[in-house]
Amino acid sequence: MTKNPLLDEQTIAFLEEFAESIRAEIDAIQCTIDIVQKRKQISVFHEPKMTDAATEEAVSSPAKWRRGVLVPVEKFDPFGKLDRKIAYALTRLGTGDRDAILNEIHQAQPDRDKYKLENALAVRMNYLLKNGFVDAQKIGRKYQYQLLKTD
């Protein structure tokens, strides 16, 4: 059996290159581990605390925070959150069902996919209604939404 120095050199070069790529992957994994550990430490030491206005006690769970209301929005922000877009539509409409709100938002932002917006709007309106951010009256099978009156 004869030794082929060219084959040996190629094998060594391949193995060195392979070992270097594995070292790079290990470094990337270690970096990810470090980021997750730092995030975990930050969230443990800096957990946001809010006070319940009725009892003045610290409330740590977002589910227990006092619920707010959507405030009227006069100017449409295409980069804003869906809640602000809904508030804009309801400010312009006064009261409206989901389709009217959808049309108002779609008129202000026609480049958005109407089907995706319709699905996101249905989910968000349900959330806003159930959590007391908006007021609604059921008429037939539809809801007429409106912003809550602030006193």
Side-chain angles (χ1 to χ4, degrees):
M1 190 169 185
T2 61
K3 291 187 176 182
N4 187 348
L6 185 59
L7 184 61
D8 289 343
E9 288 176 17
Q10 288 175 337
T11 304
I12 291 171
F14 171 76
L15 290 174
E16 286 176 343
E17 189 176 310
F18 185 67
E20 186 61 34
S21 70
I22 290 175
R23 282 188 205 102
E25 285 186 39
I26 290 172
D27 290 342
I29 292 170
Q30 186 60 48
C31 185
T32 304
I33 291 170
D34 293 341
I35 289 170
V36 170
Q37 286 177 336
K38 285 180 184 176
R39 188 179 325 143
K40 186 176 178 183
Q41 290 172 350
I42 289 171
S43 67
V44 168
F45 293 115
H46 298 96
E47 184 175 335
K49 300 280 186 190
M50 295 190 72
T51 60
D52 185 6
T55 62
E56 293 299 325
E57 294 177 6
V59 179
S60 60
S61 171
K64 295 180 182 174
W65 293 351
R66 286 193 60 123
R67 299 292 182 208
V69 296
L70 289 181
V71 295
V73 175
E74 299 296 329
K75 187 175 180 215
F76 185 79
D77 180 13
F79 302 106
K81 296 192 179 260
L82 184 57
D83 290 4
R84 303 232 347 122
K85 293 176 184 179
I86 292 168
Y88 166 80
L90 287 174
T91 301
R92 289 185 48 114
L93 295 170
T95 63
D97 62 356
R98 190 179 68 211
D99 294 332
I101 296 168
L102 173 68
N103 290 334
E104 193 67 36
I105 294 172
H106 191 66
Q107 281 179 352
Q109 199 171 17
D111 58 328
R112 297 296 301 239
D113 182 7
K114 194 169 185 176
Y115 178 74
K116 288 182 181 178
L117 180 60
E118 182 179 14
N119 289 336
L121 185 65
V123 171
R124 197 63 190 167
M125 292 305 297
N126 187 23
Y127 171 82
L128 292 173
L129 178 62
K130 286 188 177 182
N131 289 289
F133 287 98
V134 294
D135 192 20
Q137 180 181 9
K138 190 168 185 174
I139 300 175
R141 295 183 66 189
K142 291 187 173 192
Y143 282 96
Q144 286 290 328
Y145 298 98
Q146 63 185 13
L147 292 175
L148 289 175
K149 310 259 186 295
T150 55
D151 295 329

